[in-house]
Amino acid sequence: MELLLFRLNGRQLYGINVFKVKEIIPCPRLTNLPHHTPEVRGVAHVRDGTISVVDLGMAIRQPAMQKPETHFVIVTEYNRRTQGFLVREVDRIVNIDWEEVHPPPSGSGKDSFLTAITQLDNQLIEIIDVEKIIASVDPFAQTVSSEILTDEIKQIAPQFHILLVDDSSVARHQVEKNLSETGVKFTSLTNGRQALEFLQNMSAEGKKVSDEFLMIISDIEMPEMDGYTLTRHIKQDPKLTNLTVLLHSSLSGIFNESMVKKVGANYFLAKYDADELAKVVIHEIKAAAGLKHS
């Protein structure tokens, strides 16, 4: 995992995944937008498009950054959308082993905007849950289209069970909502290590895991163990290898497609399209139930 490190109002270092960063630019001229949340400092023309610029300090409940024209904008792509984050300064890019990335302290609370923490040179790095920030300043909610959810699927879906693995509470709740719309049952966990131990314990109890779960839907970026490593362990374990794995991530691009094939995942979907996700789930339901695919 490569992290881009940056600072906001103080000396604390924060990080986001480099693969989500398109470019870093001096803050361009911002045009104010009416009816936007205060965290959105304005819109900027970047190359051939217009993006919203979010004051990342304000978004995590810090004071607004003064004189934005003296700061920097990190242009990112999350969930198929491009946005900019205003930061005071960019520090550097570092390589971090996923095993060195840990969940935030339990005392940080449900309102925390951290998705993980790590240490570098004895300094704490706080990794920001960007999906939660985007949802707070530009909320979106998708439902599964009614034409996809046939009565036949709604009747048989409750007999199937899906394991969902995602460290972001916002992303997890969105997937849970859409799975609930299909009627399928689900169990939610928050990182790859937790999921692997859960599956291995189930297998040790003598259960055939592929009979217990229709499929696994897993995020890629997670503390303790990422989705690639989780998938690789599943596919290399003779007792788990038949599990269908869908990797579901706000990361996109050729790199991910290559890694998905390398670790043996059955599907990859970029977040977030409710209908795309539902179509894969329904395809697996039909296959398990012996129904014809439309």
Side-chain angles (χ1 to χ4, degrees), residues 184-201:
V184 71
K185 295 184 294 185
F186 55 85
T187 295
S188 298
L189 300 174
T190 59
N191 66 65
R193 186 174 302 283
Q194 188 183 42
L196 183 61
E197 291 175 355
F198 177 82
L199 294 171
Q200 289 174 335
N201 289 338

Side-chain angles (χ1 to χ4, degrees), residues 147-215:
E147 58 266 23
I148 294 177
L149 295 175
T150 64
D151 290 338
E152 183 181 42
I153 290 298
K154 290 179 181 178
Q155 288 175 359
I156 63 174
Q159 66 185 285
F160 297 104
H161 197 171
I162 287 175
L163 180 62
L164 170 62
V165 191
D166 200 312
D167 64 314
S168 170
S169 59
V170 168
R172 197 167 58 246
H173 293 157
Q174 178 66 49
V175 177
E176 290 172 346
K177 176 180 177 293
N178 294 143
L179 292 179
S180 295
E181 290 176 292
T182 69
V184 71
K185 295 184 294 185
F186 55 85
T187 295
S188 298
L189 300 174
T190 59
N191 66 65
R193 186 174 302 283
Q194 188 183 42
L196 183 61
E197 291 175 355
F198 177 82
L199 294 171
Q200 289 174 335
N201 289 338
M202 182 177 287
S203 177
E205 293 171 359
K207 297 178 181 178
K208 188 176 180 181
V209 180
S210 57
D211 288 344
E212 299 290 329
F213 288 106
L214 174 74
M215 64 188 300

Side-chain angles (χ1 to χ4, degrees), residues 6-292:
F6 56 90
R7 289 184 172 88
L8 300 174
N9 287 298
R11 299 304 301 167
Q12 174 63 50
L13 275 175
Y14 297 91
I16 60 173
N17 195 316
V18 167
F19 286 110
K20 295 179 180 177
V21 177
K22 299 180 73 173
E23 59 181 323
I24 302 164
I25 58 175
C27 184
R29 181 176 178 271
L30 299 178
T31 302
N32 290 328
L33 280 179
H35 313 304
H36 264 256
T37 59
E39 296 93 333
V40 179
R41 299 292 291 268
V43 296
H45 295 284
V46 178
R47 299 190 185 278
D48 297 326
T50 301
I51 63 170
S52 297
V53 175
V54 177
D55 186 323
L56 201 47
M58 291 182 71
I60 63 172
R61 309 297 184 257
Q62 293 184 8
M65 278 181 274
Q66 303 300 311
K67 298 182 178 180
E69 66 275 7
T70 66
H71 301 324
F72 294 88
V73 170
I74 303 173
V75 181
T76 65
E77 183 176 351
Y78 279 81
N79 297 345
R80 310 188 189 199
R81 294 186 289 180
T82 300
Q83 54 279 308
F85 293 109
L86 181 68
V87 303
R88 180 167 59 85
E89 64 180 34
V90 173
D91 185 82
R92 54 186 158 147
I93 292 173
V94 296
N95 287 294
I96 301 289
D97 193 305
W98 278 111
E99 293 185 355
E100 298 171 3
V101 180
H102 305 289
S106 56
S108 57
K110 66 178 182 178
D111 294 327
S112 170
F113 283 91
L114 300 184
T115 190
I117 58 171
T118 189
Q119 280 197 331
L120 183 70
D121 300 329
N122 296 318
Q123 186 171 7
L124 180 70
I125 298 172
E126 299 184 347
I127 302 174
I128 292 178
D129 187 345
V130 178
E131 289 171 291
K132 186 171 183 176
I133 287 173
I134 293 173
S136 70
V137 300
D138 186 17
F140 77 102
Q142 291 196 38
T143 58
V144 180
S145 300
S146 57
E147 58 266 23
I148 294 177
L149 295 175
T150 64
D151 290 338
E152 183 181 42
I153 290 298
K154 290 179 181 178
Q155 288 175 359
I156 63 174
Q159 66 185 285
F160 297 104
H161 197 171
I162 287 175
L163 180 62
L164 170 62
V165 191
D166 200 312
D167 64 314
S168 170
S169 59
V170 168
R172 197 167 58 246
H173 293 157
Q174 178 66 49
V175 177
E176 290 172 346
K177 176 180 177 293
N178 294 143
L179 292 179
S180 295
E181 290 176 292
T182 69
V184 71
K185 295 184 294 185
F186 55 85
T187 295
S188 298
L189 300 174
T190 59
N191 66 65
R193 186 174 302 283
Q194 188 183 42
L196 183 61
E197 291 175 355
F198 177 82
L199 294 171
Q200 289 174 335
N201 289 338
M202 182 177 287
S203 177
E205 293 171 359
K207 297 178 181 178
K208 188 176 180 181
V209 180
S210 57
D211 288 344
E212 299 290 329
F213 288 106
L214 174 74
M215 64 188 300
I216 297 173
I217 299 174
S218 176
D219 187 23
I220 291 177
E221 288 183 283
M222 296 180 290
E224 303 286 351
M225 181 184 290
D226 64 284
Y228 293 136
T229 305
L230 170 63
T231 303
R232 188 178 72 246
H233 280 296
I234 288 172
K235 294 302 181 179
Q236 291 178 350
D237 187 329
K239 294 181 179 180
L240 303 178
T241 190
N242 290 331
L243 281 169
T244 296
V245 179
L246 183 155
L247 288 176
H248 192 222
S249 176
S250 54
L251 291 169
S252 58
I254 296 173
F255 171 80
N256 291 312
E257 294 174 6
S258 173
M259 283 296 294
V260 166
K261 292 177 182 178
K262 184 175 180 180
V263 299
N266 303 85
Y267 299 97
F268 170 78
L269 284 180
K271 294 177 181 176
Y272 193 88
D273 187 300
D275 283 355
E276 284 188 359
L277 182 63
K279 285 177 181 177
V280 174
V281 171
I282 290 169
H283 180 275
E284 291 298 314
I285 288 174
K286 287 183 174 180
L291 300 177
K292 292 183 179 179

